[in-house]
Amino acid sequence: MLDSLPQTQTRADEAFDCLQTAIVKGELAPGEKIGELELCERFQLTRGPLREALGRLESRGLLVRRPHAGVKVVSVSAGELLELYRIREVMEGLAARQAAERMTDQEIADLQTTLDTHEAMIEQAQGQAYYQAEGDYDFHHRIATGSRNTKLAQMLLGDLYYMVRMYRYRLSTSAGRPHMALGEHRRIVEAIAQRDGELAEFLMKRHINAARRNIEQKIEEGLLTF
């Protein structure tokens, strides 16, 4: 599939994107042990680009390498995941407040357009999932960068960001949750557009708190295992 691409770096980028998406969507599950030969066959990759992609995924904290145990997809405990969401609630609330103060009108308009594309994707998935690609296509990434707070963005978009993305997609598949999350996103953007930092912070914190309560419910119902 990737052999026709002319440059090794391009093939490595394609391999990286392919495997990262598989991890985020749960096709490579948390804690799953992976081998190079299996990955080559499963995702139609070649060995050189695959090895470079694995190194990059390891540096992002999505893969862990253990002596005598090979390479595994990173995993966290239920308690650790809930703590990550408590951290996000505070940090992303601050990011939303500062985004309301610092984002340009054009950035806000672009963010609203991004949410329109998200709505179309949710409809295409028949309301069953809310998948956001990373970077500018990700609502939370846009808010973090829009805060113009370099240190805060570094913390939110480092290992924490990639770890949380693994679980956000799995958690978005609850009945009704994709449309609910999109509506919450839109209300946050409305507050940002009104330059109401206090309201934007409140709505972001409530949004992430709702996601955490969704996790707790899934755990109690046995629908989310670790």
Side-chain angles (χ1 to χ4, degrees):
M1 180 175 71
L2 303 175
D3 290 338
S4 61
L5 295 169
Q7 298 179 5
T8 301
Q9 182 60 42
T10 302
R11 292 199 299 269
D13 288 342
E14 291 284 337
F16 172 79
D17 290 341
C18 174
L19 295 179
Q20 180 172 248
T21 299
I23 290 171
V24 170
K25 288 191 171 183
E27 296 166 15
L28 292 172
E32 181 177 343
K33 185 175 180 179
I34 59 177
E36 290 185 6
L37 181 60
E38 176 193 356
L39 291 177
C40 285
E41 293 177 350
R42 183 172 171 183
F43 295 101
Q44 301 178 39
L45 305 173
T46 53
R47 191 65 65 91
L50 172 64
R51 286 177 175 169
E52 183 174 334
L54 292 178
R56 290 168 62 184
L57 290 167
E58 190 175 352
S59 70
R60 282 197 169 180
L62 293 178
L63 296 180
V64 291
R65 192 181 301 270
R66 298 281 186 263
H68 314 297
V71 179
K72 292 184 177 181
V73 178
V74 71
S75 61
V76 298
S77 68
E80 289 170 331
L81 182 60
L82 292 171
E83 285 304 313
L84 285 175
Y85 270 75
R86 289 188 178 95
I87 293 168
R88 285 186 65 207
E89 184 175 334
V90 175
M91 294 175 65
E92 293 202 38
L94 174 58
R97 173 187 284 272
Q98 295 191 326
E101 299 166 353
R102 300 172 180 177
M103 286 184 81
T104 67
D105 291 343
Q106 184 59 56
E107 286 173 327
I108 295 170
D110 290 343
L111 183 52
Q112 291 169 327
T113 300
T114 297
L115 293 184
D116 290 340
T117 66
H118 290 178
E119 183 173 12
M121 286 188 292
I122 291 171
E123 294 303 326
Q124 188 175 12
Q126 298 181 321
Q128 298 302 307
Y130 188 170
Y131 174 72
Q132 301 177 62
E134 68 176 288
D136 285 346
Y137 297 100
D138 184 344
F139 170 78
H140 292 276
H141 191 287
R142 285 271 187 117
I143 298 295
T145 56
S147 72
R148 299 289 194 280
N149 184 325
T150 303
K151 293 298 183 184
L152 180 61
Q154 286 174 345
M155 288 186 283
L156 284 172
L157 303 180
D159 291 347
L160 174 64
Y161 174 71
Y162 298 106
M163 179 76 71
V164 168
R165 284 192 77 228
M166 290 177 54
Y167 292 91
R168 269 173 42 196
Y169 179 78
R170 293 171 64 191
L171 296 165
S172 78
T173 57
S174 301
R177 182 59 194 163
H179 284 111
M180 188 180 301
L182 179 65
E184 292 166 3
H185 287 173
R186 288 199 183 280
R187 286 188 285 277
I188 292 166
V189 176
E190 287 171 4
I192 291 172
Q194 293 165 5
R195 305 300 181 182
D196 190 335
E198 183 177 357
L199 179 59
E201 180 175 16
F202 169 78
L203 291 173
M204 178 65 84
K205 292 174 75 172
R206 188 172 69 175
H207 168 61
I208 296 176
N209 182 271
R212 179 170 57 81
R213 286 188 280 106
N214 182 39
I215 295 171
E216 291 172 335
Q217 183 177 345
K218 278 179 172 283
I219 292 171
E220 290 174 3
E221 295 173 352
L223 300 176
L224 185 64
T225 57
F226 295 84

